[in-house]
Amino acid sequence: MQHVAHAVVQLAYDPGITPNEGGLPGLSVLKKVMGSVNLFGIIAVVGALAVSAGIWAWGHQSGGHQAEANGKKGVLVSAGAALLLGAANGIVAFFSTLGSQVH
C-alpha cells in the first residue's frame, strides 16, 4: 500500500506531460486560425485607434471635454491592445517557459 501511495505522490510532483507539437491532427490549421484571429484583432485596433483619435481631436476643437477624455481613453486602450496583440506570442512563451521551471 505504501508503494502505491509513493507512486501517487511522485505522479503529483512530475506527471511527465510536456507540449507535443505533433500530438493532435489539425494543429497547423489551429495555428493558422489563431494567427488570423490575431491579425483581425490588430486590424480592429487600427480602426479603433483612428476613431478614438478623431473623437479626441473633435472633442478638443469643439470644447467637448467628455468627448476629448473618451477619445484619450480610446487611444490608450487601443495602444495597449496593440501592444498585447503584438506581444501575444512572446508573453505566452515567457510564461510557458517560466511555468516549466516550477518544480
Side-chain angles (χ1 to χ4, degrees):
M1 185 66 166
Q2 189 176 14
H3 177 67
V4 173
H6 178 71
V8 170
V9 168
Q10 190 64 27
L11 182 63
Y13 288 122
D14 184 15
I17 299 172
T18 57
N20 184 0
E21 181 121 3
L24 289 174
L27 190 59
S28 62
V29 173
L30 184 60
K31 285 181 181 180
K32 287 181 183 178
V33 168
M34 289 298 103
S36 297
V37 168
N38 195 343
L39 178 62
F40 179 78
I42 290 171
I43 292 169
V45 165
V46 170
L49 184 64
V51 169
S52 297
I55 291 171
W56 183 1
W58 175 75
H60 180 74
Q61 291 300 318
S62 68
H65 299 294
Q66 188 68 31
E68 183 179 2
N70 286 336
K72 286 179 187 179
K73 282 189 267 185
V75 166
L76 289 175
V77 168
S78 298
L83 177 69
L84 290 173
L85 286 167
N89 283 336
I91 291 169
V92 170
F94 172 77
F95 283 107
S96 177
T97 302
L98 190 64
S100 69
Q101 295 174 3
V102 175
H103 295 286

